């Protein structure tokens, strides 16, 4: 039987995903560029050498512009690989064609053709989210991959990327949910 918190998460997830899907593609693209610029200017990210970010799927903010900027300045980029038993790994593709479609239809580095890194050595992790609040609490898609991975990123700044329309008054949280250090939207950094 699902708890009240889990039921509230499901309700909020459904409502905010519908809001995010209502953004016209051109506006999503414009907002994604603004989010990339805000993240790029964030001091802790500017100082980072090893950065994990995500490959956007569906209506998530697209971080392609940020990846290009970070690469141009010599940052080493890693992406999540969803493994068995809900575990996630950070991998850098060894070549531009070292990608595959992973679990849930998400583009991820092919572990056979990528370099893995220990989460403890990452300097920054940028995560997608479904909803967030001003206290930096994040609601994900419900798989718990990031909430199991992020506690192992002991030295990394943890940043979420979201559209302002995804902000809510309060995100329901469970004991294992990881709070972000900051959330970047097209309008500001929380």
């Amino acid at each position: 039987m699902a708890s009240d918190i889990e039921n509230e998460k499901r309700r909020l997830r459904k409502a905010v995903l519908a809001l995010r899907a209502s953004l016209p593609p051109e506006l999503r693209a414009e907002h994604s560029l603004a989010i990339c610029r805000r993240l790029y200017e964030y001091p802790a990210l500017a100082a980072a050498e090893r950065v994990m970010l995500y490959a956007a799927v569906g209506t998530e903010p697209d971080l392609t512009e940020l990846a290009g900027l970070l690469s141009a300045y010599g940052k080493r980029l890693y992406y999540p690989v969803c493994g068995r038993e809900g575990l996630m790994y950070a991998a850098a593709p060894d070549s531009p064609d070292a990608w595959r479609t992973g679990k849930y239809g998400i583009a991820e580095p092919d572990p056979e053709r990528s370099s893995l890194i220990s989460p403890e050595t990452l300097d920054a992790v940028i995560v997608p989210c479904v909803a967030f609040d001003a206290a930096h609490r994040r609601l994900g898609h419900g798989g718990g991959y990031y909430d199991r991975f992020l506690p192992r990123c002991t030295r990394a700044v943890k940043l979420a990327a979201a559209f302002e329309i995804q902000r809510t008054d309060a995100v329901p949280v469970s004991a294992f949910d990881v709070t972000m250090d900051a959330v970047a939207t097209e309008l500001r950094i929380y």
Side-chain angles (χ1 to χ4, degrees), residues 30-76:
E30 181 183 315
H31 289 346
S32 290
L33 287 175
I35 290 167
C36 288
R37 290 184 187 118
R38 289 196 189 288
L39 284 167
Y40 183 70
E41 294 168 358
Y42 191 73
L45 188 56
E49 293 299 320
R50 290 167 300 281
V51 178
M52 182 171 150
L53 62 165
Y54 64 89
V57 64
T59 60
E60 291 176 338
D62 183 351
L63 301 183
T64 303
E65 175 80 10
L66 178 64
L69 290 168
L70 294 173
S71 295
Y73 281 92
K75 312 289 185 182
R76 183 74 169 147

Side-chain angles (χ1 to χ4, degrees), residues 43-127:
L45 188 56
E49 293 299 320
R50 290 167 300 281
V51 178
M52 182 171 150
L53 62 165
Y54 64 89
V57 64
T59 60
E60 291 176 338
D62 183 351
L63 301 183
T64 303
E65 175 80 10
L66 178 64
L69 290 168
L70 294 173
S71 295
Y73 281 92
K75 312 289 185 182
R76 183 74 169 147
L77 303 183
Y78 296 85
Y79 293 85
V81 175
C82 292
R84 295 178 185 189
E85 293 146 15
L87 297 178
M88 186 178 352
Y89 307 93
D94 294 334
S95 66
D97 67 342
W99 289 82
R100 69 177 189 188
T101 300
K103 273 187 165 185
Y104 314 109
I106 300 170
E108 64 183 24
D110 181 346
E112 308 268 329
R113 300 181 295 148
S114 299
S115 304
L116 297 178
I117 188 173
S118 168
E120 295 81 8
T121 61
L122 288 167
D123 299 312
V125 180
I126 304 169
V127 303

Side-chain angles (χ1 to χ4, degrees), residues 16-36:
V16 176
L17 285 173
L19 275 176
R20 192 172 75 187
S22 74
L23 287 173
E26 318 76 54
L27 193 55
R28 269 200 312 270
E30 181 183 315
H31 289 346
S32 290
L33 287 175
I35 290 167
C36 288

Side-chain angles (χ1 to χ4, degrees), residues 148-168:
R148 284 185 286 279
F149 181 80
L150 290 172
R152 297 172 49 212
C153 303
T154 52
R155 62 185 257 180
V157 63
K158 297 157 187 76
L159 307 167
F163 300 119
E164 192 68 31
I165 198 169
Q166 294 172 250
R167 182 176 178 215
T168 188

